[in-house]
Amino acid sequence: MTQKTVRLLMPPWQGGNNPNYSFGAELLAWLAPNNDQPLIHVPVQAYNGTPLENENGMNGRTQLLAQLEAAQHIIHAHKPDRIVMFGGDCLVEQAPFAYLNERYGGELGLIWIDAHSDLVRYVGYDNAHSLPLGDEEFAKHVKIPLKPENVFIAGLAAPTEQEMELFAEAFQRLGIAPTEPDTEVIQRLGIRTAGTEELANSTASIKEWIKESGIKHLAIHLDLDVLDPKAFRSLLFANPEAPFNLTPEGTMQIPQLINLIKELSEETDVVGLGITEHMPWDAINLKNLLRDIPLLNE
């Protein structure tokens, strides 16, 4: 039986409060292999130069909720069996993954491939790309929550003691504080994890989780920040003008990531894939350069 797969291009910039997120998502969708899967654009309010308003601790809350509802409407109209999501930031995956969990009877497995857990809300840091699992108003749009035991976080970056001190100093200087350390949240929820170094040696822990949890259908969240910014430069951390230094960088290499996703695809039925946090600095800078050349704008 043929399964229906749709691709969604959802290019919000509001979640990271950075207009470059939109171009990163559009370029990501353009780079993906061509096939007969339909590509559907989720309407997003374009950046017009007006700063986002902080609404109840979240920048651009109204716009982000409207975009979430638009994605939900499109997905439910098409009723796909599988969804590919090109973002944007990590928040774009709420609608497709919530739908897929409902579609597969609340038994969806989720592997969160990311250098960061995204489980903690940081008071004073009000960009929504760090809150895909942590806002009550957005949670109301999820009919069937994911089971914590059906979630696995892969590729977590482990900061050194020196980095921890630097992050703490930076947080204090900026007035940012976590509501609860992510390690405590992970332990409290019983979520399994594996760092990049462990997975470089073996993916057995993930395969055991799939078998023990009976994961028949799996969604993969791929935050490109899991990659080593020295090897892959199209990341927030690799901004040539102002590197992002509030959280640890990813260390995974591209061959390791490809191998991990291929092995997951062999173990169970992958029904969801979200790719997020693409920040192609060279293309962004070239686009801006071309925009300012008079002959190209006559």
Side-chain angles (χ1 to χ4, degrees):
M1 181 178 178
T2 303
Q3 291 191 309
K4 182 178 181 181
T5 303
V6 299
R7 298 181 178 191
L8 297 184
L9 168 57
M10 189 171 177
W13 58 273
Q14 295 89 342
N17 202 4
N18 185 336
N20 291 322
Y21 273 98
S22 293
F23 179 62
E26 292 163 358
L27 184 56
L28 192 63
W30 182 80
L31 289 168
N34 287 323
N35 58 24
D36 58 359
Q37 297 169 357
L39 177 65
I40 305 162
H41 289 67
V42 179
V44 168
Q45 185 170 329
Y47 178 67
N48 61 7
T50 304
L52 291 174
E53 181 181 346
N54 189 307
E55 305 169 76
N56 190 25
M58 180 182 291
N59 295 320
R61 177 182 291 272
T62 299
Q63 293 181 34
L64 288 164
L65 281 169
Q67 290 160 189
L68 168 63
E69 291 168 0
Q72 288 178 315
H73 177 76
I74 290 170
I75 292 169
H76 284 276
H78 286 268
K79 294 181 172 57
D81 301 297
R82 299 177 175 182
I83 302 175
V84 176
M85 197 75 171
F86 299 115
D89 57 83
C90 301
L91 191 62
V92 303
E93 292 176 355
Q94 178 176 334
F97 289 174
Y99 165 85
L100 288 171
N101 193 38
E102 186 179 350
R103 166 75 176 76
Y104 294 105
E107 298 297 332
L108 181 73
L110 170 63
I111 183 158
W112 196 260
I113 305 177
D114 200 326
H116 318 102
S117 72
D118 292 340
L119 286 169
V120 180
R121 180 161 197 156
Y122 288 86
V123 178
Y125 184 78
D126 298 326
N127 292 337
H129 69 150
S130 65
L131 309 175
L133 301 176
D135 185 88
E136 292 182 2
E137 191 169 7
F138 282 77
K140 292 177 182 176
H141 290 263
V142 178
K143 290 184 179 179
I144 305 176
L146 285 162
K147 295 179 179 179
E149 61 268 27
N150 282 10
V151 178
F152 193 110
I153 304 175
L156 278 177
T160 64
E161 289 187 14
Q162 183 179 11
E163 286 176 328
M164 288 291 289
E165 293 175 1
L166 292 174
F167 297 150
E169 290 175 5
F171 284 179
Q172 186 176 16
R173 186 170 61 251
L174 297 171
I176 299 172
T179 53
E180 182 181 7
D182 60 351
T183 52
E184 294 182 13
V185 176
I186 289 169
Q187 291 174 1
R188 176 165 52 81
L189 295 176
I191 294 174
R192 301 196 203 184
T193 68
T196 295
E197 187 174 350
E198 175 188 337
L199 295 174
N201 296 321
S202 172
T203 58
S205 59
I206 297 179
K207 293 177 180 177
E208 289 171 6
W209 164 73
I210 289 173
K211 291 176 181 176
E212 291 174 7
S213 302
I215 304 297
K216 294 182 174 60
H217 305 285
L218 181 71
I220 300 174
H221 160 75
L222 172 55
D223 184 329
L224 292 173
D225 283 350
V226 77
L227 293 169
D228 182 350
K230 295 184 289 295
F232 183 73
R233 305 295 299 165
S234 298
L235 304 174
L236 187 63
F237 290 88
N239 186 340
E241 296 181 1
F244 189 82
N245 55 8
L246 289 177
T247 52
E249 300 175 349
T251 58
M252 192 174 289
Q253 303 301 310
I254 290 177
Q256 181 185 0
L257 176 59
I258 293 171
N259 181 65
L260 173 58
I261 293 175
K262 284 183 175 180
E263 288 196 17
L264 291 171
S265 301
E266 293 170 357
E267 288 294 316
T268 189
D269 183 21
V270 175
V271 295
L273 172 64
I275 309 175
T276 63
E277 303 286 342
H278 183 218
M279 198 64 73
W281 295 112
D282 288 344
I284 290 166
N285 291 329
L286 179 59
K287 182 182 180 183
N288 292 337
L289 183 153
L290 296 174
R291 181 193 59 200
D292 292 333
I293 295 177
L295 183 58
L296 296 176
N297 290 280
E298 291 181 352

